[in-house]
Amino acid sequence: MEHRKPAPATLPSNVKLDHVVFSRFAECLFHLSAPGEEFVLSVNIGGNQVVLPVAGLIKEFAVGPDDIKMLELVGQAVRFVRGLRIGDALPKEVLTGEASWEVSPKHQMLARQRVLMQLVNWLSGSGTLMTSPEQLMQLANDPATKKKVTEAFAEAADRLGIGRENREQMVPYVAKLSDELAYVEALREVVESVRSMSVKVEGLTKVYQREKGLLQTIDQVRKLMLVAMADFDDRIAELDAQTGEIISVLKNLENQVLFIREKRDELYTRLLAWREFIDEWRRVDVAMSLKMENVIARLYQFLAARYMKTDEWVLMTQLQIRAQSIDDLKNKKKVLVW
């Protein structure tokens, strides 16, 4: 995948469309459809909310090239926001490559400490990548670690052609890399929140072990959560591995920043759809209740649409409609392929 280039300087930083069709619609909102994630425009027609595919609008109304360029930019932009209206500012991701969301001081500190420990490990010849936030923070104020960091700065400065005596010039290198990786630290924390959801789902298999119908849904959710977590873990591991060769990263810092931003955006947009589920699952207890049954049903629909191959599954609702009894349902279990 090619690195995303900043938007051309001639394009405005706000959504601007000249075609008359966009001014005639009331309450225009560009967004991605759920769960298909098609680029669409929601409008109000006669008091009814109507969803129109943007690709169809371009073709049907012969939208001009300038508007098409803007719509392409908006199509990229709605991956990072819930929706955009005409006049709204475009997110920085599609204009400059920077993130449009903020990170906490905690994530900034973790990222800096991770970079410093990578330098220390490089100096000592250790190939170990330290990923635990707890370990990183424990070493932050360790005098022995601080001494090793000073030595690593000198050696790294020499390797980069700056000169050992100019080790303080390593500070902006570390700061720039840390600033980018702070966003990865924030996303790593969100991934752990998804993992906490997965743990709760595992707990539900015991709570509902006597409820065969619901247990089947929970088991499917459990399997799909494993698929989702494997995807997130692979993406984090790719970023960790790419930035693990610290001297190579610092020598080629500009290109590495582009790589980090590209992978950061991919992970961010995938996690964006999980936010409401993460918040909801924080508030629920692993216990039998009607609320839990509704929560697990919504999560199943969300996961199945995104992580289950269409030729490998039949919706539980279809099975339940055909099933006349528990025995009938059991006879049909071979329809599900994992």
Side-chain angles (χ1 to χ4, degrees):
M1 182 184 294
E2 294 183 359
H3 297 302
R4 188 193 312 110
K5 296 179 181 179
T10 53
L11 286 177
S13 58
N14 293 67
V15 180
K16 180 179 181 295
L17 294 164
D18 295 324
H19 197 291
V20 66
V21 68
F22 299 109
S23 61
R24 286 183 177 175
F25 285 133
E27 301 179 17
C28 291
L29 178 68
F30 294 97
H31 61 98
L32 296 179
S33 64
E37 297 193 343
E38 180 185 12
F39 181 32
V40 297
L41 172 63
S42 288
V43 297
N44 190 298
I45 299 178
N48 297 313
Q49 204 68 21
V50 180
V51 178
L52 305 169
V54 172
L57 280 172
I58 292 173
K59 183 177 179 180
E60 183 70 22
F61 294 98
V63 174
D66 288 343
D67 277 359
I68 289 175
K69 288 180 181 178
M70 172 55 69
L71 288 170
E72 288 174 350
L73 203 59
V74 174
Q76 295 177 34
V78 292
R79 295 168 55 227
F80 303 97
V81 294
R82 295 291 185 184
L84 285 171
R85 302 182 187 277
I86 294 174
D88 284 352
L90 292 162
K92 288 191 287 186
E93 284 88 349
V94 299
L95 295 174
T96 66
E98 298 171 281
S100 58
W101 46 285
E102 300 294 330
V103 294
S104 69
K106 168 191 169 183
H107 296 129
Q108 293 171 333
M109 187 180 300
L110 278 172
R112 184 175 185 279
Q113 189 62 17
R114 192 180 299 280
V115 172
L116 295 179
M117 290 311 302
Q118 286 172 336
L119 280 167
V120 169
N121 288 343
W122 164 75
L123 183 64
S124 64
S126 171
T128 303
L129 279 176
M130 190 175 296
T131 58
S132 166
E134 292 76 18
Q135 285 181 306
L136 289 169
M137 296 311 296
Q138 285 174 3
L139 292 170
N141 296 314
D142 179 43
T145 300
K146 289 182 178 181
K147 182 179 179 182
K148 291 177 182 177
V149 168
T150 300
E151 295 171 359
F153 268 37
E155 190 65 29
D158 184 60
R159 188 66 65 90
L160 267 60
I162 299 172
R164 297 179 64 87
E165 67 281 4
N166 298 317
R167 66 188 182 202
E168 71 280 355
Q169 291 185 27
M170 289 298 301
V171 172
Y173 283 83
V174 170
K176 184 169 185 176
L177 181 57
S178 299
D179 286 346
E180 298 298 331
L181 291 178
Y183 294 93
V184 179
E185 293 302 321
L187 294 174
R188 195 191 302 270
E189 189 170 279
V190 180
V191 169
E192 290 308 308
S193 295
V194 176
R195 199 183 311 280
S196 296
M197 288 174 56
S198 187
V199 171
K200 285 190 173 183
V201 171
E202 289 285 350
L204 289 174
T205 60
K206 296 179 181 179
V207 172
Y208 283 95
Q209 58 184 335
R210 296 181 183 274
E211 303 288 333
K212 299 302 181 183
L214 190 58
L215 186 61
Q216 189 176 29
T217 301
I218 292 171
D219 189 53
Q220 292 176 59
V221 169
R222 182 184 64 81
K223 292 175 181 178
L224 291 172
M225 286 292 292
L226 291 175
V227 175
M229 285 309 310
D231 176 63
F232 290 139
D233 287 342
D234 286 347
R235 292 174 185 277
I236 291 288
E238 182 183 13
L239 274 160
D240 286 341
Q242 183 71 19
T243 55
E245 297 291 334
I246 190 65
I247 297 302
S248 297
V249 171
L250 295 175
K251 282 182 176 179
N252 195 27
L253 191 52
E254 293 300 327
N255 284 334
Q256 288 299 320
V257 166
L258 291 177
F259 172 84
I260 292 168
R261 288 179 174 182
E262 179 182 299
K263 297 303 177 183
R264 172 205 71 198
D265 287 349
E266 289 176 5
L267 185 55
Y268 176 79
T269 54
R270 283 181 173 267
L271 285 167
L272 191 60
W274 285 81
R275 296 303 173 99
E276 63 179 272
F277 289 96
I278 290 171
D279 292 340
E280 185 173 44
W281 278 76
R282 281 198 185 110
R283 298 191 298 269
V284 297
D285 296 323
V286 182
M288 190 178 294
S289 68
L290 180 59
K291 179 179 179 181
M292 174 54 75
E293 292 172 18
N294 291 332
V295 167
I296 200 73
R298 286 196 299 274
L299 181 58
Y300 170 69
Q301 292 171 356
F302 171 81
L303 291 167
R306 288 163 174 79
Y307 294 99
M308 191 181 284
K309 295 180 181 178
T310 54
D311 60 348
E312 291 181 343
W313 64 287
V314 174
L315 283 172
M316 279 292 297
T317 51
Q318 293 177 331
L319 284 175
Q320 290 167 346
I321 290 171
R322 291 201 303 262
Q324 300 300 314
S325 65
I326 296 296
D327 291 336
D328 191 11
L329 183 58
K330 289 180 178 177
N331 291 334
K332 294 178 184 291
K333 64 183 179 181
K334 292 182 181 179
V335 176
L336 291 170
V337 181
W338 296 93

